[in-house]
Amino acid sequence: MRSDRTRSIASIVLATLAGLLIVTGTIAAYASTQVIDHDAFADRAVAALDRDAVRHVVARELVTALVDHGSTDLVAARPLLESVVDGVLRTDPFRRVLRRAAVEANRVFFSRNGSRLTLNVADAAAVVRFAAQSVSPKLAREIPSNLQSTLLSVQRREFAAGTLSVADHVRALGVILPLCALLALLGAIAIAPERRIGVLRGGIALAAAGVLLAGALLILRARTLAGVFGTDELTNADVRGAVGGLLSAYFGDLLTWTVALAIVGLVIAAAAATLDPARVEAPATRLRRALLRRPQATWQRALRAVVAIAAGIFVALSPLVALQIVALLLGAYLVFFGVGELLVLLQRPAPAAQARRGRRRALLT
């Protein structure tokens, strides 16, 4: 009994450690593959332009730069110029300009290949000028052709000691921490006196890590947006909408990862807590019977009919969302079923079975 108690405590410690490693490992792995990687970083910068709030702020800032450095006629033509710029932001040429700038910015911050970042509106102005030719040749002529207005200039020596060191550590931790988390989970299951309880603790650790990380991301997003304020050209709502769009573009998938992690953990914990390893197919059988059996009470039949009609309307109006929901439910059940199958393999033999095996060995020897 003392040995079982010690192993149970060790299993709890390992499961808790696994939860902490999952939180930090998920952050490190996401940052390494989706932020520090220059291609992923640039792709997300371009994807941010699909959000209206981000495109509105970029268009306003670009128009302001063109008007400030162009002729006075651009002031009167500003509404037309804003319309042209808004259309330009949706085109592939401008997105290529933005992607190139994002790659250079990423290399300066996180790679040893870049030494200086200088962003100006010259390339963007050239794209706007070309697009304005088809709308108003006069407007195109008013846009300066030698515009070199610098928006940002940063030299590597200003921050290299910080960002490069962080990037190197994050790349390594993005691989090491998830592996350590997996080993800790396996250890928590292997060392537990009862494997089912070990799997239950592992599922709880996954779910807790997902919930903790999702909550932290939502709180951080809210605090970030609360600290953002507008300028003379842009209102607080404009700037906060753009910052929110950028946060969604860069970290929205991380929130999806954490929610999926929490769901998988809850399903594993539920399977370990309720499923009989000897009857893995029982939940599917009960679910099928519940769906196909006609209710006896009139109100139950009426309720089922209303639910079926509502579900049918929802599927007809939002087929993609309905398909995603079905895929989510199917994935959750497959995880549930797979955990049950593993519990059959992990389950320790009962004392009677061990005794029979012992007697068989004695007879054979």
Side-chain angles (χ1 to χ4, degrees):
M1 293 179 61
R2 184 176 300 174
S3 175
D4 286 349
R5 180 180 176 83
T6 302
R7 292 170 60 185
S8 180
I9 293 174
S11 176
I12 294 173
V13 171
L14 284 175
T16 304
L17 177 62
L20 296 175
L21 290 172
I22 289 169
V23 171
T24 55
T26 300
I27 296 174
Y30 186 89
S32 176
T33 58
Q34 304 300 320
V35 178
I36 294 177
D37 180 79
H38 64 269
D39 285 327
F41 182 89
D43 290 341
R44 292 183 180 277
V46 173
L49 278 181
D50 293 333
R51 292 167 169 81
D52 293 337
V54 176
R55 196 166 55 248
H56 171 71
V57 171
V58 173
R60 181 65 64 87
E61 290 297 301
L62 182 54
V63 168
T64 300
L66 293 175
V67 170
D68 289 344
H69 295 84
S71 68
T72 55
D73 293 337
L74 285 179
V75 177
R78 179 162 184 159
L80 179 58
L81 181 60
E82 289 178 348
S83 176
V84 172
V85 169
D86 184 70
V88 165
L89 296 185
R90 305 170 190 267
T91 63
D92 289 337
F94 183 85
R95 289 171 181 257
R96 285 195 292 269
V97 171
L98 176 62
R99 194 180 194 286
R100 185 165 61 249
V103 169
E104 292 301 320
N106 179 275
R107 285 176 176 168
V108 171
F109 279 95
F110 303 120
S111 174
R112 302 185 186 279
N113 296 328
S115 59
R116 183 181 179 88
L117 169 65
T118 301
L119 299 180
N120 57 60
V121 297
D123 293 337
V127 177
V128 173
R129 192 183 311 107
F130 180 79
Q133 287 284 353
S134 60
V135 177
S136 172
K138 182 177 182 300
L139 175 65
R141 289 193 297 271
E142 298 299 331
I143 298 175
S145 59
N146 58 346
L147 183 62
Q148 293 295 331
S149 175
T150 300
L151 299 181
L152 175 66
S153 180
V154 182
Q155 293 183 4
R156 158 157 296 182
R157 55 184 172 80
E158 298 174 5
F159 54 84
T163 58
L164 292 179
S165 176
V166 169
D168 291 339
H169 285 86
V170 168
R171 289 188 185 98
L173 292 176
V175 177
I176 295 173
L177 290 180
L179 291 177
C180 291
L182 178 60
L183 293 176
L185 280 176
L186 295 177
I189 296 172
I191 204 172
E194 186 177 349
R195 298 284 172 78
R196 176 195 286 266
I197 302 300
V199 173
L200 174 62
R201 289 168 182 155
I204 293 174
L206 284 173
V211 171
L212 177 63
L213 190 50
L217 288 173
L218 293 176
I219 293 173
L220 182 61
R221 177 188 175 90
R223 291 180 64 87
T224 300
L225 294 180
V228 174
F229 301 97
T231 59
D232 295 335
E233 287 284 337
L234 299 167
T235 65
N236 290 347
D238 291 335
V239 178
R240 288 172 183 172
V243 173
L246 286 173
L247 291 176
S248 298
Y250 278 96
F251 302 106
D253 287 344
L254 178 58
L255 183 60
T256 303
W257 285 20
T258 60
V259 172
L261 191 66
I263 292 174
V264 170
L266 288 174
V267 171
I268 292 175
T274 62
L275 192 61
D276 182 2
R279 302 179 62 197
V280 179
E281 297 82 2
T285 303
R286 289 197 299 268
L287 179 62
R288 184 173 63 254
R289 289 175 180 174
L291 293 176
L292 298 179
R293 184 178 65 246
R294 174 173 291 182
Q296 298 298 322
T298 303
W299 70 270
Q300 291 178 338
R301 295 180 62 180
L303 178 61
R304 188 173 74 162
V306 171
V307 171
I309 293 172
I313 294 174
F314 177 75
V315 171
L317 295 178
S318 304
L320 294 179
V321 177
L323 185 61
Q324 290 175 345
I325 293 175
V326 171
L328 178 63
L329 294 176
L330 178 60
Y333 178 76
L334 290 175
V335 173
F336 186 88
F337 181 83
V339 171
E341 289 286 351
L342 289 177
L343 285 175
V344 174
L345 301 176
L346 294 175
Q347 194 75 0
R348 294 182 184 277
Q354 289 179 341
R356 284 196 298 271
R357 251 199 309 270
R359 285 196 296 270
R360 248 192 327 266
R361 289 198 199 96
L363 292 173
L364 290 174
T365 57

